[in-house]
Amino acid sequence: MTLDPAAAVGMLTELVTQRTVSGDPKPQRSAMDAVVSVLNARTAAITVDGDRDGPHPWLLITNDAHPKAQRLMFACHVDTVPAGDLSNWQFDPFAADVENGVLRGRGTSDMKAGLVAATAAVLDAFEGGVPAALLLTSDEEIGSLGALAARHAVEECSVGAVVVPEATGNRVHLGHRGALWLDITTKGVAAHGSTPQRGESAIMKLVDVLARARDELPVATDAFLGTETFNVGLIDGGSAPNIVPDTAHVVVDHRTVGDGSELLSWWREQPEVDRVDARIDLPGVRTDGGNIWISELPHSVAREPVTYFTDASIIAAAAPGAPIVVWGPGTPALMHAADETVAIDELDAAIAAYSAVTRAWPTVD
């Protein structure tokens, strides 16, 4: 028995009303509890492991069917980015109301609709005796921290294939670039703002190195993953307008196709830079399109990777050899944007497609 359409919409509505912003574990735990409650209400055949009370909570939900068989895993994060300036929204981002066949609110596309569809498919698998698993993680948006905490459990789970139900408009994608977020600090010498020649501005040093980075960074290109990118996401420095700043800081977001070592070395070699620390270092992901399981999925496979990173960076290392696809309901352009929504038709289609995949999954021990 899977979730009927009304129950799926009800579950999605409940999840979207919960403000599960990354970095706040309490509402993320509540969202995980809501998923477990849905499963417990419909089947007794589940086992729940994990760390619910840690700083980056996670749960791994499995069944007892065919314990020696490889499992089909759905990997879902429950956190969202903040709603931001509410004046940019045309509706309440946490009302989770439905208008013209669209459910509206923060997290609908990224990725609570995917979580609902995965829950429905796993419920169907559990009821049918199919070896499956539902991984629930926290803090994906700030570096897949929940997935990292759960890595050892994934390693022990005997994973045969993985679906990451991020928003792809229900198209199947075979990977994504990695992410390397760097904290870069420059140091200067403080002085009175009226005599800047007596000091050394850390901000001007930072400006110089950032300007040079635009032309000199050793960005690489991969035939499938594309070209590495460079974005200045956060910048700060100084303490007052009339003081020459002695410290400045920037967070740079690189999307990588290799291991990021050349990018990291470039920053560390610049004369203006005092310190470089990696805030996030996640590898890229790619799955061979010739895999038999992928060839039998009920949707066509996109030629290009998704543009964002996912928990697949952690899962791929924990389950080497298991094919991983990024595939779920929702509109990629609405991820992290104001007026985020998901079409209920897409949710229903994802439930049907995922359930077809679970029913075709082999049950041989």
Side-chain angles (χ1 to χ4, degrees):
M1 176 181 70
T2 189
L3 291 178
D4 61 55
V9 170
M11 181 182 178
L12 181 55
T13 299
E14 179 184 357
L15 290 172
V16 173
T17 59
Q18 299 190 37
R19 306 187 183 203
T20 55
V21 176
S22 307
D24 186 355
K26 184 176 179 179
Q28 296 185 73
R29 292 186 194 113
S30 179
M32 293 180 187
D33 289 344
V35 175
V36 173
S37 178
V38 168
L39 292 171
N40 273 327
R42 290 165 171 80
T43 179
I46 69 170
T47 299
V48 182
D49 296 313
D51 181 6
R52 183 187 175 281
D53 299 320
H56 311 295
W58 61 273
L59 296 178
L60 180 61
I61 305 166
T62 57
N63 59 346
D64 296 328
H66 307 280
K68 295 182 181 180
Q70 290 191 319
R71 296 183 184 276
L72 173 60
M73 174 178 283
F74 291 84
C76 308
H77 69 87
V78 301
D79 61 311
T80 72
V81 296
D85 185 348
L86 298 185
S87 68
N88 293 327
W89 289 72
Q90 298 182 55
F91 48 82
D92 181 346
F94 301 104
D97 57 346
V98 177
E99 183 176 285
N100 298 322
V102 169
L103 200 151
R104 311 189 302 177
R106 172 58 83 219
T108 47
S109 276
D110 186 14
M111 61 174 292
K112 292 180 177 180
L115 170 56
V116 170
T119 302
V122 167
L123 175 61
D124 188 72
F126 289 172
E127 288 295 289
V130 174
L134 178 61
L135 177 66
L136 304 179
T137 66
S138 61
D139 296 336
E140 184 265 359
E141 301 287 3
I142 54 175
S144 292
L145 301 180
L148 187 62
R151 175 173 172 164
H152 67 283
V154 177
E155 291 173 342
E156 297 168 1
C157 190
S158 186
V159 178
V162 182
V163 176
V164 181
E166 294 279 7
T168 66
N170 282 334
R171 297 183 70 203
V172 177
H173 292 258
L174 300 181
H176 55 73
R177 291 172 298 176
L180 178 65
W181 293 7
L182 299 178
D183 283 279
I184 300 164
T185 302
T186 56
K187 295 289 188 180
V189 178
H192 197 286
S194 65
T195 55
Q197 69 276 9
R198 296 179 180 174
E200 186 177 32
S201 172
I203 288 179
M204 294 307 296
K205 282 186 171 183
L206 190 58
V207 169
D208 289 343
V209 72
L210 288 175
R212 194 162 61 251
R214 297 172 72 176
D215 298 320
E216 296 184 7
L217 271 170
V219 295
T221 298
D222 177 86
F224 173 62
L225 296 178
T227 300
E228 293 177 327
T229 57
F230 157 58
N231 176 62
V232 175
L234 296 170
I235 191 166
D236 59 87
S239 57
N242 57 346
I243 300 175
V244 175
D246 59 2
T247 302
H249 167 254
V250 65
V251 181
V252 171
D253 174 3
H254 289 292
R255 300 305 166 103
T256 57
V257 301
D259 62 8
S261 59
E262 290 190 19
L263 293 168
L264 184 59
S265 295
W266 187 90
W267 287 107
R268 286 178 170 163
E269 291 167 359
Q270 303 314 299
E272 299 91 345
V273 172
D274 180 73
R275 180 170 178 172
V276 181
D277 295 300
R279 180 180 294 197
I280 291 176
D281 188 0
L282 297 173
V285 176
R286 72 185 81 201
T287 292
D288 181 4
N291 180 274
I292 295 176
W293 175 74
I294 290 175
S295 69
E296 295 176 349
L297 292 176
H299 277 276
S300 61
V301 177
R303 294 179 178 273
E304 71 282 355
V306 295
T307 58
Y308 44 82
F309 70 80
T310 77
D311 280 343
S313 290
I314 303 298
I315 295 168
I324 300 178
V325 295
V326 184
W327 171 33
T331 304
L334 295 178
M335 300 169 74
H336 300 192
D339 297 340
E340 184 180 354
T341 62
V342 69
I344 294 173
D345 284 349
E346 278 195 29
L347 172 61
D348 293 341
I351 292 173
Y354 290 173
S355 297
V357 171
T358 61
R359 291 168 189 171
W361 187 255
T363 59
V364 178
D365 287 338

